[in-house]
Amino acid sequence: METLKTHAVHGGTLRYLRHDSATTGTPMTLSVFTPPGEGPFPVLIWLSGLTCTEDNFTTKAGAYRAAAEHGVIVVASDTSPRGEGVADDPAYDLGQGAGFYVDATQAPWAPHFRMESYVTGELIGLIDAEFPTTKARSISGHSMGGHGALTLALRHPHLFRSVSAFAPIASPTRCPWGEKAFAAYLGDDREAWAEHDAARLIEAGVGDGCYDDILIDQGDADPFLAEQLKPELLTAAAEAAGQTVTLRMQPGYDHSYFFMASFIADHVAFHAERLKG
């Protein structure tokens, strides 16, 4: 991986990196924070939301003080492949910046939009090869990235110790963002869509017993709450399936990084306890 820039922060080191991805067929960018000390350290993977790059979380979330205190590497990847020859759409909620953490099966997206395989395969392998990790890892994310964190954790429970999310798209098969993206990336088969819907995966018992708790923070002033996010579908599925989900409705908070910055330390501590337990 090529190091683009390096910063000292909270006694640790933050690196912006780029590599040529065999999975997406494009260059991919990410940031990696390593805490002070020699390690090895467990890893928290962060997935961002629509329109974001690796830089949004890195500069706005304020996660690194808690990561340094708990001794956790934090990895923030880009949200999609990008570049010349990569399919795109004029809208913000499809194409570059909107990978939805699935492997596309439809043209023109299939050649590059393979974000599930990228995160669960290539990215994890690179981090374990290049950094002093314990090979224990957890996953979290926001909005589209919260959807990604939940579904990847449920579909690949052998890879992750714990999962949390901020304002996740809880059931993308039942909201406009998800319906648009899944129709484009996965085609018309709604049964295939359900395999990437956290609420429906929990209903089906996928990942059953793998996570003692799933932590969700949601602002009650979020403008996307009723139409796009629908956390009640996730909690209803969890209650029916016997999966513990802790949904914290935060009064007055919206969908922004101000919301995440207010509670990110809780999420880092939540994961650190399970990563080191």
Side-chain angles (χ1 to χ4, degrees):
M1 288 192 287
E2 176 189 2
T3 300
L4 303 177
K5 53 184 176 179
T6 302
H7 302 282
V9 56
H10 294 298
T13 303
L14 175 66
R15 296 174 176 86
Y16 283 85
L17 304 162
R18 179 171 55 208
H19 71 101
D20 291 329
S21 170
T23 305
T24 67
T26 67
M28 292 295 292
T29 53
L30 63 148
S31 73
V32 179
F33 170 78
T34 49
E38 296 183 1
F41 307 105
V43 176
L44 176 60
I45 293 176
W46 174 267
L47 305 180
S48 290
L50 290 167
T51 75
C52 291
T53 70
E54 77 286 346
D55 195 47
N56 298 77
F57 173 84
T58 304
T59 57
K60 296 180 179 180
Y64 301 132
R65 180 185 297 277
E69 291 173 355
H70 290 285
V72 175
I73 290 173
V74 181
V75 178
S77 74
D78 200 351
T79 55
S80 79
R82 301 178 191 268
E84 186 178 352
V86 177
D88 201 8
D89 188 273
Y92 75 94
D93 54 358
L94 187 67
Q96 296 185 36
F100 269 82
Y101 304 102
V102 300
D103 288 354
T105 59
Q106 306 298 304
W109 313 102
H112 302 294
F113 281 73
R114 304 186 65 238
M115 289 302 294
E116 178 173 12
S117 290
Y118 174 72
V119 173
T120 60
E122 187 172 13
L123 179 64
I124 286 173
L126 282 169
I127 297 303
D128 283 345
E130 298 287 339
F131 293 91
T133 78
T134 63
K135 295 183 170 57
R137 68 191 70 83
S138 295
I139 191 165
S140 186
H142 169 239
S143 194
M144 177 187 72
H147 139 75
L150 292 169
T151 57
L152 297 189
L154 292 167
R155 286 167 57 82
H156 305 274
H158 61 290
L159 292 178
F160 305 105
R161 295 276 185 91
S162 54
V163 55
S164 73
F166 288 85
I169 304 172
S171 188
T173 63
R174 291 174 279 187
C175 76
W177 278 341
E179 290 173 340
K180 178 180 179 178
F182 284 5
Y185 297 146
L186 303 175
D188 296 329
D189 182 1
R190 285 183 172 261
E191 291 187 10
W193 296 10
E195 296 176 8
H196 304 278
D197 180 309
R200 296 196 185 277
L201 288 171
I202 290 174
E203 286 172 358
V206 176
D208 182 37
C210 293
Y211 303 107
D212 66 326
D213 191 7
I214 297 173
L215 176 61
I216 309 289
D217 271 310
Q218 173 65 61
D220 72 359
D222 191 319
F224 305 112
L225 177 58
E227 183 180 24
Q228 303 283 12
L229 306 178
K230 302 184 178 183
E232 70 278 2
L233 296 177
L234 189 69
T235 54
E239 183 176 356
Q243 169 65 58
T244 300
V245 171
T246 299
L247 172 62
R248 306 194 308 184
M249 295 299 298
Q250 303 292 0
Y253 284 88
D254 57 21
H255 201 69
S256 72
Y257 270 87
F258 296 112
F259 165 49
M260 279 173 278
S262 300
F263 301 103
I264 191 67
D266 293 352
H267 285 245
V268 173
F270 173 85
H271 292 297
E273 179 182 359
R274 288 154 179 81
L275 286 165
K276 298 178 181 181

